[in-house]
Every structure is written in C-alpha cells, then in structure tokens.
Amino acid sequence: MKIITKQLSQEIKQLLSDSKKITIIGHYAPDGDAVGSSLALYNLFKKYSYDISVVMPSFLPDYLKMLPASDKIIVYSKEDKKAETLLSISDTIICVDFNSTKRVGKLEKALLNSKAVKIMLDHHPEPENFVDYIISNTEASSASEIIYEFIVIIGMNNLIDKTIATCLYTGIMTDTINFSVNSSRKRTFDIVGNLLELGIDKDKIYSQIFNNYSADRMRLAGYVLNKKMKILYEHNTAYIILNKKELMEYNYKNGDHEGFVNFPLSIKEINVTHIFIEKDDYIKTSSRSTSNFDVNKFARKYFNGGGHKKASGGKLFININEVENYILNAIKNID
Ligand code: 5GP
Ligand code: MN
C-alpha cells in the first residue's frame, strides 16, 4: 500500500489516464460526505472525458439528490448486476469515505475480487489493507477534504469549478454538522475559503440539507424527545430506541432519524449518546461523544461497527426488545 504524496503524483496521473474504466465507490447508507466526495471526483474526471462511474451499495437520501450528477449514481440495491460488473471491469477503483470492506455491504466480494488498482481516500482510523494507494488522515474533517487534497496533489485544482466545489462543501459541512465538530484545523477553513471563492452558495446548500425535512420527521423528532429519550446521568449518557411500529406511525423514510442521536448532547452533563433504529434484518446503531469517551472502540466492541472517536455506527442482530438490557449492560461494563 503506497501513501499518495506529491512524489507519487505522476504515477497516479499516469494510472488515471491509462485507465479505460474508473469506478468510484462509497459506503452503505451513503451520507453527504460519501456522496459529495464521490460526485466531486466524478464531475472533475468527466471534464477529462474519463469513462467514470459512481457506485453506492444502497440508496442515497432525497436531500442529496440536488447534488450535480447524483442521478448518474448506480445503486446496488436497484441495479445489482450493473454495480458488480462495473467493479469487475474497472482498471481503477476509488474508495471514498470508508476504510473497511464490510462498509460496502453486499458489494464486498465484488470489490475484493476486482483486479482493478484500488485507491482509498478516507479519514477514518485504522484503515484495512485492501488497496494499492491510500491517503488517509484522521485529522481531516471529512473525506471531501481529503478529496480536495488529492486533487491538489495530482495538480488538477485549477479545474475545480462551482459544481465540484458544491459537492466538496456539502461533504465538509455535513460531516462537521455545519462546523460544530471535527473542524478546528485552519486547513479546513482555508479549503472552505477556496470553495467560497469559486462561487458556492453556502447558505443555500445548508438550507437544502438541514431545512428540508418532512413534517412527519419533525413529529417523530417530537415523539423521540418527549417519550423515547432515556437519560443515565450517572454515566453522562443518553440513549434512544425506536422500533418499527413506532417508525411506521410517523411514516418513517430512510434517513429520517438522521440527527436524532445528537439531540441529548444539548443536555447539561450528557456527553455520550446512542440511538437504535429497528430495520428489516438488523438494528442500526449510531453513537456520539463530546468527551474523551471513544465511541469508535465502543461500537467495535458492542455494535459490530466502528467509525471515529466521537462518531460511530454499527449493527446489532438481536431482537429490538433486547436492546435496552444489552445497552445497559454494555454501559455498566465500561465503568
Ligand atoms: P452514523 O452514525 O452517522 O451512521 O455513522 C457515524 C460514523 O460511523 C461514520 O463515520 C460512519 O462511517 C461510521 N459507521 C457507521 N456505521 C458503521 C458500521 O456499520 N461500521 C463501521 N465500521 N463504521 C460505521
Ligand atoms: Mn466522512
């Protein structure tokens, strides 16, 4: 695995221009960063007339469909054969915003079996060794910030236009929850400054993402705050468990719970939160921390997942009725 640096820029450029087919792949349940970083690269390489595709393991949320070229994304859960074929015929595969093959769900085999040269552009800790080239910086706000650095290294930054900048800004803004976390480095703001110079409409992007909820989602949020938020002051922790029946009562659409996990962090003395959402064949977990408590380690140990020190996710394969006991035991175990 070679680390992509300025010295390697010629090698990478050659690799890209020799590639007859390039595929970019993001993670399962793609978020603003996965979609923003993928589409930034897609829109950039299109300018060079590269034969390039973007594949996602599952559907992107509606609020990201305003991103330029989002309609070009091949979604595995809709077009499984096409997605698999793209990975197998590609000369180069660029993996963005994930570092573990488990994160691509049912595309894992196709990704591992592909003979393509693989490049990872990411910001999660402890990358797995399944790629040929890597840029990974856990200090970076987002994969989108890494993509920006990658574009600089390969000397294409003069090709970043408003369209590409919009994609990159979306990734940085969403992963930092509008610059409230993971965004204390000057470099992040220097990059944002450069994107602003390209004419992005930052307030419009914010509104399209954060002021675009359905009334059902807002009512579900009310229910969650009123009835479902459990607080354990002695552990500075809160948790929320939502079963399918409750979700259906509020016409739950994929992604409607986005942001709920952060709600309890506004409470004095609460600095660790978990949410559990019942899906068809597993329970989706999300955890957040504003203290030194490492939710990446916690998710790896208890939720078959991972992520960052302050934001992690995972999956549980137990009955939703067992979740409360499970989390209470897990929390007791750590103290
Ligand atoms: P979220 O809670 O928003 O789904 O995810 C928070 C962070 O944890 C993200 O950085 C995401 O990439 C990571 N993450 C979410 N789900 C999983 C998972 O199932 N496995 C691993 N390893 N990381 C996850
Ligand atoms: Mn990210």
Side-chain angles (χ1 to χ4, degrees), residues 27-29 31 97-100 102-103 123-124 175 257-258 261 275 284-288 296 299-300 303-308 311-315:
H27 58 77
Y28 193 85
D31 56 7
D97 200 32
F98 69 92
N99 66 7
S100 156
K102 278 208 181 63
R103 298 281 289 135
H123 67 128
H124 292 90
D175 255 28
H257 70 273
E258 204 80 37
V261 67
I275 190 166
K284 157 77 188 143
T285 79
S286 283
S287 305
R288 300 291 185 267
N296 170 34
R300 280 170 190 255
F303 303 148
N304 309 297
H308 308 276
S312 69
K315 285 179 178 171

Side-chain angles (χ1 to χ4, degrees), residues 66-67 162-163 165-174 176-180 188-189 191-211:
M66 51 65 175
L67 283 176
K162 187 177 166 185
T163 298
T166 297
C167 298
L168 292 173
Y169 184 79
T170 299
I172 298 173
M173 184 197 75
T174 51
T176 60
I177 321 177
N178 204 31
F179 305 95
S180 62
T188 305
F189 283 88
I191 291 171
V192 167
N194 295 342
L195 301 179
L196 285 167
E197 243 169 19
L198 292 163
I200 58 163
D201 189 339
K202 111 182 208 310
D203 297 350
K204 186 171 164 202
I205 299 171
Y206 175 90
S207 226
Q208 281 172 325
I209 304 245
F210 291 114
N211 296 332

Side-chain angles (χ1 to χ4, degrees), residues 44-100:
L44 177 78
F45 290 151
K46 269 283 167 203
K47 290 192 171 197
Y48 264 79
S49 312
Y50 284 141
D51 183 351
I52 182 150
S53 304
V54 179
V55 167
M56 292 291 167
S58 64
F59 288 104
L60 46 152
D62 285 346
Y63 65 82
L64 293 173
K65 292 192 177 151
M66 51 65 175
L67 283 176
S70 70
D71 57 322
K72 301 286 188 305
I73 295 177
I74 314 293
V75 177
Y76 173 82
S77 31
K78 190 169 155 217
E79 296 179 276
D80 53 351
K81 288 286 164 289
K82 193 168 176 187
E84 279 169 356
T85 306
L86 280 171
L87 292 178
S88 73
I89 64 165
S90 290
D91 309 294
T92 303
I93 295 177
I94 306 179
C95 303
V96 298
D97 200 32
F98 69 92
N99 66 7
S100 156

